Amino acid sequence: MNKNEIISVADLVKKSAQKFGGKTFLKEFVKGEVSEKTFGEFYTDVRKLYGYIKDKYGGEKQVHTAVIGPSSYGWLVSWFGTVCGGSTAVPLDAQLSCEDICELLVRSDTDIFCYDPRYEKMIPAVKANCPNVKEYISFAELSELLEKNVPTDFPGVPADRLAAIVYTSGTTGKSKGVMLLNSNYIDNAMCQDNESTPDDTVLSVLPIHHIYCFTCDILLSLRYGSTLCFNDSMMHIPQNLKRFAPTIMLIVPMIAETIYKQIKAAAAARLEVPVAMIAQSVFGGRLKTIYSGGAYLRPELQKAYIEMGFNMAQGYGMTECSPRISTADPADKECAGDVGVIVNGCTVKTVDGEILVKSPSVMAGYYKDETETAEALTPDGWLRTGDLGYVDEKNRVFITGRKKNLIILSNGENVSPEELENKFAEYDVVGDVLVYSEDSVITAEFFPAAEAAKNLSAAEIEEKLLEAVDSVNKTVTSAKAIRRVLMRDSEFEKTTSKKIKRSQSVQGRRIR
């Protein structure tokens, strides 16, 4: 595929159909059987939805279409049918409450609301609270709608046309609407080469509204002609690994940790079978490459996957950068704790320890929020990531924490809570941990892992947590050591992407 001929998402969809037409683009498990769509069929259906929107709203009007639900063909057609016609999609988090959905539909100036049938019960409330929404389309009605419309050729969509408003799910503050242009998506999908082939099968397990999943699973499948398979539930990952036998997977460290524990347990029960053979069986028998992103990946865990025979690479990015800033070569066996090498076309620098990025992938700003936009983007176009870190001589990026979370001690020394929190990832007794300063004392608040809580008494859990703290304290200077330890009986409040909200009140009881 000639990258120079692709300036918009519409170009990517059209070129993929021309090159891979009759090849299977998507597989999904629906109503007890696998449903398939080719690249050509997808192109046709996207043009049909565009034709419907054009006839109803006029070819010149840029409508805003909100899309919500788990990964599905209906979700894809709704998003691409909007964007390929030059309008704007608003992908919403499937875990949002009705109140939050209504708030974002109003803030995003949504005209059309496309939704999975499971949201049907919410629609009366949405209609009552969102007078700006003109039309509601259930994915269950989409097939009938498409049958009644003819494919309409895409208009020439300019590179600087707003493709999507993607709302962040930050751990502090109100979600912001990241404005991503067609050029942002295309640059990020094209910034690396030789990442996949038409022979590859990608199992998509992450939420589809996340930019990491959307760019690296969906757009890259369109670019390379890979077959995309949707996982229908986090609970069904083991079944879908066997059903679809992927060669490539994008995951987050939490999934990597969970599957690794399952492999270790299976290996302990079958000592006569090589661990690599068990691991390959768990992943469906064909898996070659695993990409990890979204959170800290322990170098020890990455090394364990490599030793089991997989290529495993870690990347770094953010919604505001569409998302890739750096990515590792999957064939690189060195586990240095970095988050990959800066991608092509992207420039990274640090100012006062904060990572700043300039790239054609960087957003246009936050929707209707000039104040937040001015804080995120410098006048000369650098994106302030809010992440602390550095770049080494090999162009590898290392993240040490978040600028806004930095603890400044009375002696002037800076402590990154994330740096300390990440050190507990290897301890099975730790479910979640939050490090903060309380009365100028570095404090760690723990919620034990479910397995530990099931098999140990409260006193034993406390003992193991304190042992973990003592071990971590030996790896840092005295000034950075954790002096106060708390244990919670209830889980931390989290975002829908399972990140701990740092602004919540202390609920743990002190055990040191």
Side-chain angles (χ1 to χ4, degrees):
M1 191 176 287
N2 187 342
K3 293 192 289 186
N4 297 325
E5 296 178 353
I6 301 173
I7 65 169
S8 69
V9 173
D11 293 336
L12 179 61
V13 173
K14 182 178 181 179
K15 293 293 182 183
S16 70
Q18 291 174 343
K19 187 168 184 178
F20 308 113
K23 184 181 181 298
T24 299
F25 164 54
L26 177 69
K27 293 182 180 181
E28 58 180 341
F29 193 63
V30 182
K31 295 180 180 178
E33 61 182 23
V34 176
S35 172
E36 298 187 7
K37 292 289 184 179
T38 66
F39 285 86
E41 289 171 331
F42 178 61
Y43 178 47
T44 297
D45 286 342
V46 169
R47 286 183 295 146
K48 284 182 177 180
L49 184 59
Y50 162 58
Y52 170 78
I53 294 173
K54 179 183 179 184
D55 290 344
K56 189 158 186 177
Y57 296 91
E60 299 303 315
K61 178 175 172 55
Q62 287 180 248
V63 300
H64 287 195
T65 301
V67 189
I68 193 169
S71 300
S72 70
Y73 186 66
W75 198 104
L76 289 181
V77 172
S78 300
W79 194 99
F80 283 92
T82 299
V83 176
C84 290
S87 287
T88 303
V90 185
L92 298 179
D93 186 339
Q95 303 299 316
L96 290 175
S97 66
C98 183
E99 181 181 359
D100 288 338
I101 290 171
C102 291
E103 194 245 344
L104 293 184
L105 290 176
V106 172
R107 280 176 56 196
S108 63
D109 298 313
T110 288
D111 301 292
I112 305 171
F113 186 31
C114 296
Y115 60 93
D116 186 275
R118 68 191 67 190
Y119 297 90
E120 196 67 55
K121 292 180 179 179
M122 290 186 184
I123 298 305
V126 175
K127 288 182 177 179
N129 290 282
C130 305
N132 53 293
V133 180
K134 303 173 182 64
E135 185 171 7
Y136 295 82
I137 302 174
S138 168
F139 296 159
E141 304 165 353
L142 196 56
S143 295
E144 184 178 346
L145 185 151
L146 295 176
E147 287 176 9
K148 294 178 180 178
N149 287 273
V150 296
T152 302
D153 288 341
F154 301 145
V157 180
D160 62 355
R161 180 66 58 83
L162 179 61
I165 302 170
V166 184
Y167 283 92
T168 60
S169 57
T171 56
T172 59
K174 192 175 183 180
S175 62
K176 300 185 285 286
V178 178
M179 295 191 293
L180 297 180
L181 311 179
N182 275 262
S183 58
N184 297 147
Y185 279 110
I186 295 306
D187 176 74
N188 215 256
M190 300 290 174
C191 66
Q192 299 292 102
D193 292 314
N194 304 314
E195 298 168 288
S196 184
T197 73
D199 295 326
D200 280 312
T201 298
V202 179
L203 180 60
S204 181
V205 302
L206 303 178
I208 195 170
H209 71 280
H210 282 192
I211 190 69
Y212 173 42
C213 169
F214 188 83
T215 297
C216 298
D217 276 345
I218 296 163
L219 295 186
L220 292 190
S221 291
L222 287 168
R223 177 187 174 185
Y224 291 109
S226 309
T227 296
L228 178 69
C229 302
F230 280 151
N231 177 62
D232 57 335
S233 166
M234 294 299 284
M235 301 296 292
H236 297 162
I237 289 178
Q239 296 95 311
N240 285 323
L241 283 168
K242 295 186 182 302
R243 178 177 290 127
F244 298 119
T247 58
I248 297 174
M249 275 186 75
L250 271 68
I251 59 176
V252 291
M254 181 177 67
I255 295 176
E257 293 276 8
T258 300
I259 295 178
Y260 181 58
K261 288 177 182 177
Q262 293 171 352
I263 293 170
K264 284 201 302 182
R270 301 172 63 190
L271 296 176
E272 74 283 1
V273 181
V275 175
M277 188 178 296
I278 292 174
Q280 192 56 257
S281 175
V282 167
F283 280 103
R286 298 197 305 150
L287 190 68
K288 299 181 298 183
T289 302
I290 302 171
Y291 291 95
S292 177
Y296 175 74
L297 176 71
R298 292 191 292 121
E300 298 83 4
L301 183 62
Q302 182 182 7
K303 184 177 180 181
Y305 271 92
I306 291 172
E307 289 175 348
M308 290 188 296
F310 303 108
N311 292 324
M312 192 175 203
Q314 185 171 195
Y316 162 62
M318 56 193 304
T319 305
E320 288 85 344
C321 204
S322 309
R324 294 190 287 179
I325 295 171
S326 62
T327 187
D329 178 356
D332 185 356
K333 306 299 182 184
E334 186 177 359
C335 305
D338 61 289
V339 291
V341 176
I342 300 168
V343 298
N344 297 325
C346 181
T347 305
V348 174
K349 69 178 181 180
T350 57
V351 176
D352 297 328
E354 181 185 7
I355 293 174
L356 272 64
V357 174
K358 182 177 279 191
S359 162
S361 292
V362 170
M363 67 170 181
Y366 295 115
Y367 188 64
K368 291 187 172 180
D369 198 334
E370 294 181 1
T371 301
E372 290 286 358
T373 297
E375 288 186 14
L377 297 174
T378 68
D380 56 347
W382 288 88
L383 171 67
R384 300 183 180 97
T385 66
D387 289 315
L388 299 171
Y390 61 94
V391 179
D392 73 2
E393 68 283 354
K394 295 182 179 179
N395 240 17
R396 297 181 300 188
V397 179
F398 291 79
I399 306 297
T400 58
R402 290 287 290 171
K403 183 178 180 179
K404 63 185 177 184
N405 300 332
L406 201 64
I407 298 170
I408 303 176
L409 302 176
S410 57
N411 64 359
E413 189 165 359
N414 294 337
V415 178
S416 165
E418 293 89 351
E419 187 176 0
L420 289 170
E421 290 162 2
N422 291 340
K423 290 178 179 290
F424 289 99
E426 64 182 277
Y427 296 94
D428 292 340
V429 70
V430 178
D432 290 307
V433 57
L434 192 63
V435 173
Y436 50 88
S437 176
E438 185 180 48
D439 302 325
S440 299
V441 177
I442 296 180
T443 303
E445 188 171 351
F446 293 94
F447 179 68
E451 284 297 312
K454 182 173 66 177
N455 299 320
L456 299 173
S457 67
E460 289 172 326
I461 292 173
E462 289 183 15
E463 183 181 354
K464 285 188 173 295
L465 286 175
L466 293 176
E467 288 175 356
V469 170
D470 290 340
S471 295
V472 167
N473 281 346
K474 291 177 182 177
T475 68
V476 298
T477 63
S478 176
K480 294 183 178 182
I482 295 166
R483 303 297 181 188
R484 186 175 295 163
V485 184
L486 291 81
M487 189 173 83
R488 298 170 64 98
D489 295 320
S490 59
E491 287 195 54
F492 288 100
E493 185 181 354
K494 296 181 179 180
T495 67
T496 55
S497 57
K498 306 304 179 186
K499 293 181 180 178
I500 297 174
K501 293 184 177 181
R502 306 197 75 93
S503 57
Q504 58 194 287
S505 59
V506 175
Q507 292 188 16
R509 67 179 185 279
R510 187 169 177 178
I511 60 175
R512 174 180 289 174

